[in-house]
Amino acid sequence: MANKVYSDAASALEGLLFDGMTIVSGGFGLCGIPENSIAAIRASGVKGLTVVSNNAGVDGFGLGLLLETRQVKKMISSYVGENKEFERQYLSGELELEFCPQGTLAERMRAGGAGIPGFYTRTGVGTLVAEGKEHKEFDGETFVMERGIVGDLAIVKAWKADRFGNLVFRKTARNFNPMAATAGKVTVAEVEEIVPDGALDPDLIHTPSVFVQRVFVGTFEKRIEQRTVRKREIA
Amino acid sequence: MANKVYSDAASALEGLLFDGMTIVSGGFGLCGIPENSIAAIRASGVKGLTVVSNNAGVDGFGLGLLLETRQVKKMISSYVGENKEFERQYLSGELELEFCPQGTLAERMRAGGAGIPGFYTRTGVGTLVAEGKEHKEFDGETFVMERGIVGDLAIVKAWKADRFGNLVFRKTARNFNPMAATAGKVTVAEVEEIVPDGALDPDLIHTPSVFVQRVFVGTFEKRIEQRTVRKREIA
Amino acid sequence: MPWTRDEMAQRAARELKDGFYVNLGIGMPTLVANHAGDLDITLQSENGMLGMGPFPWESEEDADLINAGKQTVTELPRTSYFSSADSFAMIRGGHMDLSILGAMEVAENGDLANWMVPGKMVKGMGGAMDLVAGTPRIVVMMEHSDKAGNPKFIPACTLPLTGRNVVDVIITDIAVFERADRKGAPFRLVETAPGVTAEDVKARTTAAFVV
Amino acid sequence: MPWTRDEMAQRAARELKDGFYVNLGIGMPTLVANHAGDLDITLQSENGMLGMGPFPWESEEDADLINAGKQTVTELPRTSYFSSADSFAMIRGGHMDLSILGAMEVAENGDLANWMVPGKMVKGMGGAMDLVAGTPRIVVMMEHSDKAGNPKFIPACTLPLTGRNVVDVIITDIAVFERADRKGAPFRLVETAPGVTAEDVKARTTAAFVV
C-alpha cells in the first residue's frame, strides 16, 4: 500500500515546505503541540510563514522557536500571552498578528477542513474582531461571518496512530489537533506510538486515516506551563 | 445530583411533547434509530410534528409509525425511498417534505447545536435544493447558504450511557445521533445499557453529558433492512 | 457486443489508484470493489464508515453495521466509524479521491441528474449531491440508453440536477467518455465495447463529444 | 469593610444551581469551585474537558491534562474530553448554564471589556469572546476599582470590548449588581459588603444603577 509511515520529522516534512506557506498547527499552550515538526521546520530554514495556531508557544519552546528565528511573518491566534519575544516583535511591527476568538479559530479550522468557506457566529459581534467583516441578521439577532481556513500543511500531535493514519489523542492534548488535521492540504502527524493493525478500536478513532498523509513516531519533552499540585498531608 | 435517568420512554418524554413541535431524530435507515421514543411519541398522540431525520423509516417501523397515524405534518430528510406510505401522503399533498442533501442535513444539525445560524456549502448549487436560497462567491466559486436547525426536542439512540448523560455509540449506528443530540432544546437518549460511574473512558465518549437531559434504557428490535451475507463454503 | 455490468465494473476499477479513498454509490458501482486487485483502496460509506469490508458471513450480520445502501457489511483492521457530520466533512472538504455513482442523465457539460423524476419518484438525493459537489473526481456508470431506448448522455439534462459540471468520466455498456478538466474541455470517446464503433456510439448518443 | 477574594467567590457560588454546567475563567473565578458545597456542578474547561477535577497530588501531574489556564488538573468519573471545535460548539450553542469571569471594565449597558489594552497588552481574548457570546448567564467578578483607584463599573467601556450587552451579574469587593434581563433592565445594587452603604457604592461608581 501507499506508505504513510516516515522515520522522523525531517523525512516526513520533506518536499512539503516552502517560503510564504501557511501552516496550521494543533496544540493548546504547550499541551499536545507537534514539537518534532516544529523543530524540523526551524531546522529547514523555511521563512515568511503564516502560522495558524491557538497559541504561539513560549520563549524557547514550541512555536516560540520559529519566532526566535524570524521564520514567522504572521500568526493567527487567540492568545499569545506567554511569549515575550512575540510581544516584542508584534509591538515593534515585525510580526503580523490576526487575533481570532478561540472558538471561532477552532471552527474556522473545522470549516476549512469540511469544505465550508464561511459561517456565521455571534462571537465577537460589536467588537474589534468583527470590524470590516460581513454581518447578517438571523431571527432578529446579528451575526458576523467568519471564513474557513485551509493551510498548505497541517502539523498535529496525537497519542497513537496505526500505519493507515488513524489517530487517537489523549486527554486535553486533543484540543485543536483533530480540526488542524482536517485543515491541511497535506497533514503530518507525530505520535508517541504506531500500533499494530487493528489495535485501535474503530469506534474510538478520533481522526480517520483519510485526513493524515504522513505519520512518524516523535520524541516528546511535553513541557508543563503551570505545574499546580495539591500537597499530600503526611500522616 | 439533578437526576437524568428515567425508567422508560414515556416518563423520559413526559412534559416535553406538544402539537406543532419540531423533533430532531438520529438514525440512518433503521440503524441507530430511537425506536422507543418513536413508539412513545406515537402513543402520546401528539400531532402536527415537523420531524428532522435523514430517513422516514419504513412502513410499520421507525418513523413510519408516526406517518401511519398522520402525526407528522412535515419531514426534513435526504432520502425517503423505503416508505410507500410516505410516498403516497407526499404525492397526495397530505405531507410536506423538505429534501435536504444528506451532508447538508448533518451539518445543519451540527450548526444548530453549535450556535451557527448559517453556513455556506457548494452542495446543491445549481440544483432545486438551492432555489430561493442566498448564494455567495468565495474565491471565484459559488456557494449556497444553509441554515442551522434547532429542534424543540431531539431523540437519539446510543449504545451505552452513564448516569451523567455521557454517550457512546456503536459502529454505524452512530450516524446522525451525535449531531441530533446537540440540536435539541431538550435531548432524550435511549440506550442499551447505563454503565457505572467511570466505566466510560473519558477519551472515548462521543457525546459529552452536557447535551443530554434525559436518558433511559430501551428495548430494541434493531430491524435489518438489507440482510446481505456471504455463504460459507462447506468443506 | 455491449459490456456486461461486471465488465463495466472492471473498466471502472481502472480509475482506481493505489492508496485511494473511494466512495462507491449504490447498485452497479458497488461491483467495482471486486476488481481492485492488488491496489490498496479504502472504501468510504457515507453513513459513517471508512474501511468498509465485504458482506458478513451468514449469521454474523450486525444490525449496527450497515453501508449507505442499508446492507449489512463488515469491518477491517483499518476501519473507523464517525458521525454523519464528520463523514460529510470528509466528502465536502475534498478529502476523498474518487466517487463512482450511477446516473439517469449526464449532459455534455458534465451536469448530472440521478435523484428525481418529478411527480413520479420522490426517494431523495441522499448523499449524492454532497458527493458530486465535494469529490475531485466523479465517475459515472450507467446503461448507455434508458429502458425506452433513449440516450442518457445528452446535450442538457431534462431531469432535476444532482450537480452542475461534476462528471469526469462516463462508463456505459458500450463506451467510455472522459474529459480533461471541468473548465470547458469536451468529453472524448476513449474506449468502446468489442465490436462497437465510434459511429455506433454517435448514432446512439445525442450529446456532443470528440473522438 | 470590603469582601476578600474568598468572600467574593463565596458570593459568586450562590449563582450556582444544582446540575449546572459552568465555565470558570482564569484567576479569581476559579476560587468559586471551592464553595459549591453540596451542589452537583460540572466544570468545563474550554480547551476540551467537561468534569474538571482538582489539582493533582504532587508527582501525579500529567502534561496531557491541563485546564484553560494551562494548569495541571485531574479527571473525575464523569469526565469527557473533546476537541476545541466540540468545546466551543458546546459554548457557542448555548449548552453551558453559566460562566464566571474577570473584567477590566463593565458598562452600565452590560458591555464587557477584559482582553486588551491598546498599545500595551497584546495577550489575546482566548475563549472569552465565545464564552460571553454563547453562555446564557454571565457573572463578572472584579475589584470595584482599578489599581489607580478608578471605577471599573462605568457608563461606557473605554477599552476594546469582549462582548456587547453580555453581563448579568457583577460581583466586586464592595457590592453586587444584577439586572433582570438583557433587554434594557438597569443594573440594581442587590448587596453590599459589611459596613458599606449604597451611598458609599454610589460615590465609588460612575455607572448608573438603581438601588
Side-chain angles (χ1 to χ4, degrees):
Chain A
M1 70 174 268
N3 180 49
K4 290 187 178 181
V5 179
Y6 288 73
S7 58
D8 56 22
S11 62
L13 289 168
E14 202 175 307
L16 301 180
L17 302 177
F18 57 92
D19 290 349
M21 73 188 297
T22 297
I23 299 178
V24 179
S25 176
F28 179 90
L30 301 181
C31 182
I33 59 171
E35 299 181 23
N36 295 271
S37 288
I38 292 169
I41 290 167
R42 173 165 162 141
S44 79
V46 67
K47 56 186 192 298
L49 302 175
T50 295
V51 178
V52 186
S53 168
N54 188 57
N55 309 90
V58 296
D59 297 299
F61 195 61
L63 291 169
L65 291 172
L66 304 182
L67 292 167
E68 268 179 18
T69 50
R70 311 289 175 87
Q71 289 171 269
V72 181
K73 186 186 70 181
K74 180 179 178 181
M75 291 285 314
I76 302 179
S77 303
S78 88
Y79 193 83
V80 296
E82 295 91 354
N83 194 313
K84 290 276 170 238
E85 175 62 14
F86 188 108
E87 194 156 6
R88 197 199 59 69
Q89 287 186 27
Y90 173 69
L91 289 176
S92 71
E94 294 164 55
L95 181 67
E96 281 176 68
L97 171 60
E98 179 183 330
F99 268 133
C100 180
Q102 194 174 146
T104 297
L105 185 63
E107 192 65 20
R108 290 180 66 190
M109 289 186 194
R110 182 191 175 277
I116 293 171
F119 61 89
Y120 292 92
T121 173
R122 63 167 73 77
T123 299
V125 169
T127 76
L128 278 182
V129 303
E131 280 179 15
K133 294 178 184 167
E134 210 163 308
H135 288 66
K136 195 173 182 66
E137 301 268 319
F138 291 92
D139 306 323
E141 202 183 343
T142 303
F143 293 78
V144 60
M145 193 183 79
E146 296 280 0
R147 297 293 308 268
I149 292 176
V150 177
D152 298 301
L153 171 67
I155 52 174
V156 304
K157 192 270 165 185
W159 182 30
K160 296 178 183 177
D162 60 23
R163 68 185 171 103
F164 307 107
N166 291 305
L167 303 181
V168 173
F169 302 94
R170 185 171 176 272
K171 304 189 188 287
T172 58
R174 190 182 321 180
N175 57 63
F176 279 82
N177 284 296
M179 290 79 67
T182 70
K185 289 177 193 161
V186 182
T187 294
V188 174
E190 56 192 76
V191 302
E192 299 182 35
E193 186 186 358
I194 294 180
V195 301
D197 292 4
L200 301 178
D201 182 338
D203 269 328
L204 307 174
I205 286 168
H206 297 126
T207 293
S209 64
V210 70
F211 294 111
V212 178
Q213 283 69 49
R214 302 183 184 189
V215 61
F216 66 94
V217 174
T219 54
F220 297 93
E221 179 180 336
K222 289 200 190 180
R223 203 180 285 188
I224 293 177
E225 274 181 86
Q226 305 282 340
R227 189 177 301 269
T228 47
V229 296
R230 285 178 290 169
K231 297 263 183 202
R232 282 183 199 282
E233 291 184 20
I234 291 158
Chain B
M1 69 174 268
N3 180 49
K4 290 186 178 182
V5 179
Y6 288 72
S7 58
D8 56 22
S11 62
L13 290 168
E14 201 176 308
L16 302 180
L17 301 177
F18 57 93
D19 289 350
M21 72 188 297
T22 295
I23 300 177
V24 179
S25 175
F28 179 89
L30 301 180
C31 183
I33 59 172
E35 300 180 22
N36 295 272
S37 288
I38 291 168
I41 290 167
R42 173 166 164 141
S44 80
V46 66
K47 57 186 191 297
L49 301 176
T50 294
V51 178
V52 186
S53 167
N54 188 58
N55 309 91
V58 296
D59 295 298
F61 195 62
L63 290 170
L65 292 171
L66 304 183
L67 292 167
E68 271 180 13
T69 48
R70 311 289 175 86
Q71 288 171 271
V72 181
K73 184 184 69 179
K74 178 179 179 181
M75 290 286 313
I76 302 179
S77 302
S78 89
Y79 193 83
V80 297
E82 295 92 354
N83 194 313
K84 290 275 170 239
E85 174 63 13
F86 187 107
E87 195 156 4
R88 196 199 59 70
Q89 287 186 26
Y90 173 68
L91 290 176
S92 72
E94 294 165 54
L95 181 67
E96 281 177 68
L97 171 60
E98 179 183 329
F99 267 133
C100 181
Q102 193 173 147
T104 297
L105 185 62
E107 192 66 20
R108 289 179 68 191
M109 289 186 195
R110 182 192 174 277
I116 293 173
F119 61 90
Y120 291 92
T121 174
R122 64 167 73 76
T123 299
V125 170
T127 76
L128 278 181
V129 304
E131 280 179 16
K133 292 177 184 167
E134 210 164 308
H135 287 68
K136 197 172 180 66
E137 300 269 318
F138 291 92
D139 306 324
E141 203 184 341
T142 303
F143 293 77
V144 59
M145 194 183 80
E146 295 279 0
R147 297 293 310 268
I149 293 176
V150 177
D152 298 301
L153 169 69
I155 52 175
V156 303
K157 192 271 166 183
W159 184 29
K160 296 178 183 177
D162 61 22
R163 68 184 170 103
F164 306 107
N166 291 304
L167 303 182
V168 173
F169 303 95
R170 185 169 175 274
K171 303 189 189 287
T172 57
R174 192 183 318 181
N175 58 64
F176 279 82
N177 284 296
M179 290 80 67
T182 70
K185 289 178 192 160
V186 182
T187 293
V188 174
E190 55 193 77
V191 301
E192 299 182 35
E193 187 186 358
I194 294 179
V195 301
D197 291 5
L200 301 179
D201 182 338
D203 269 327
L204 306 174
I205 286 168
H206 296 126
T207 293
S209 63
V210 69
F211 294 111
V212 178
Q213 282 69 49
R214 302 184 183 187
V215 60
F216 67 94
V217 174
T219 55
F220 296 93
E221 178 180 337
K222 288 200 190 182
R223 203 180 287 188
I224 293 177
E225 274 181 87
Q226 304 283 339
R227 189 177 302 269
T228 47
V229 296
R230 286 178 289 169
K231 296 262 184 204
R232 283 184 199 282
E233 291 183 21
I234 292 157
Chain C
M1 200 172 63
W3 284 310
T4 63
R5 285 162 57 93
D6 213 54
E7 286 165 336
M8 289 169 69
Q10 208 169 341
R11 173 60 186 81
R14 280 167 44 203
E15 301 294 323
L16 303 174
K17 289 182 188 160
D18 200 46
F20 261 25
Y21 286 84
V22 179
N23 185 294
L24 300 177
I26 296 168
M28 199 162 26
T30 60
L31 299 175
V32 178
N34 303 331
H35 299 282
D38 287 341
L39 295 177
D40 189 72
I41 301 298
T42 303
L43 298 179
Q44 204 241 23
S45 190
E46 67 266 26
N47 55 319
M49 180 180 196
L50 200 57
M52 183 170 57
F55 295 146
W57 296 112
E58 219 168 7
S59 85
E60 292 181 3
E61 315 90 273
D62 183 339
D64 288 341
L65 180 40
I66 65 170
N67 65 17
K70 281 98 176 178
Q71 299 171 309
T72 45
V73 293
T74 54
E75 67 191 29
L76 299 170
R78 72 182 59 189
T79 299
S80 58
Y81 300 106
F82 34 81
S83 73
S84 301
D86 288 347
S87 180
F88 284 93
M90 209 174 274
I91 290 167
R92 196 190 308 103
H95 302 279
M96 300 297 300
D97 295 297
L98 177 71
S99 183
I100 305 180
L101 62 177
M104 297 173 185
E105 297 176 344
V106 178
E108 61 189 45
N109 65 358
D111 288 356
L112 169 70
N114 75 349
W115 76 281
M116 194 192 200
V117 181
K120 280 191 188 168
M121 194 191 76
V122 287
K123 292 180 185 304
M125 72 291 282
M129 285 191 181
D130 307 279
L131 279 161
V132 301
T135 312
R137 193 164 173 85
I138 298 291
V139 174
V140 158
M141 295 176 72
M142 64 179 187
E143 301 297 321
H144 200 84
S145 309
D146 68 15
K147 282 168 188 165
N150 300 310
K152 297 174 69 172
F153 180 33
I154 55 185
C157 290
T158 63
L159 295 171
L161 295 184
T162 306
R164 277 199 196 280
N165 186 19
V166 294
V167 177
D168 300 293
V169 180
I170 307 165
I171 299 171
T172 77
D173 52 329
I174 61 166
V176 178
F177 305 90
E178 187 170 353
R179 57 177 180 162
D181 59 50
R182 297 183 184 179
K183 294 167 189 162
F187 277 97
R188 178 178 298 276
L189 178 67
V190 294
E191 229 168 297
T192 54
V196 176
T197 66
E199 286 312 304
D200 295 336
V201 176
K202 272 195 183 158
R204 293 183 52 191
T205 310
T206 52
F209 59 88
V210 297
V211 181
Chain D
M1 201 173 62
W3 285 312
T4 63
R5 287 162 56 91
D6 213 53
E7 284 165 338
M8 289 169 68
Q10 208 168 342
R11 174 58 186 81
R14 280 167 43 204
E15 302 294 323
L16 303 174
K17 288 183 188 160
D18 200 48
F20 260 26
Y21 286 85
V22 180
N23 185 295
L24 300 178
I26 296 169
M28 199 161 25
T30 60
L31 300 175
V32 177
N34 304 332
H35 299 282
D38 287 340
L39 295 178
D40 188 74
I41 301 298
T42 304
L43 297 178
Q44 204 241 23
S45 190
E46 66 267 27
N47 55 319
M49 181 181 196
L50 200 58
M52 183 169 58
F55 295 147
W57 296 112
E58 220 169 6
S59 86
E60 292 182 3
E61 314 91 274
D62 184 336
D64 287 342
L65 180 40
I66 65 170
N67 65 17
K70 281 99 176 176
Q71 299 171 310
T72 45
V73 293
T74 54
E75 66 190 31
L76 300 170
R78 73 181 59 189
T79 299
S80 58
Y81 300 106
F82 34 80
S83 73
S84 301
D86 288 346
S87 179
F88 285 93
M90 209 174 274
I91 290 167
R92 196 190 308 103
H95 302 279
M96 301 297 301
D97 295 297
L98 177 71
S99 183
I100 305 180
L101 63 177
M104 297 173 184
E105 297 176 345
V106 177
E108 62 190 42
N109 65 358
D111 289 356
L112 169 70
N114 74 349
W115 76 282
M116 193 192 202
V117 182
K120 281 190 188 169
M121 194 191 77
V122 287
K123 292 179 187 303
M125 73 291 282
M129 284 192 182
D130 306 279
L131 280 161
V132 301
T135 311
R137 193 164 173 84
I138 298 291
V139 173
V140 159
M141 295 176 72
M142 64 179 187
E143 301 299 318
H144 199 84
S145 309
D146 68 16
K147 281 168 187 165
N150 300 310
K152 298 174 68 172
F153 180 33
I154 55 186
C157 290
T158 64
L159 295 170
L161 294 185
T162 306
R164 278 199 196 281
N165 186 20
V166 294
V167 177
D168 299 293
V169 180
I170 307 165
I171 299 172
T172 79
D173 52 329
I174 60 166
V176 178
F177 305 91
E178 187 170 353
R179 57 177 180 162
D181 58 51
R182 296 182 184 179
K183 295 169 188 161
F187 277 97
R188 179 178 297 278
L189 177 68
V190 293
E191 229 167 297
T192 55
V196 176
T197 66
E199 285 313 305
D200 295 336
V201 175
K202 271 195 182 160
R204 293 184 51 194
T205 309
T206 53
F209 59 88
V210 298
V211 180

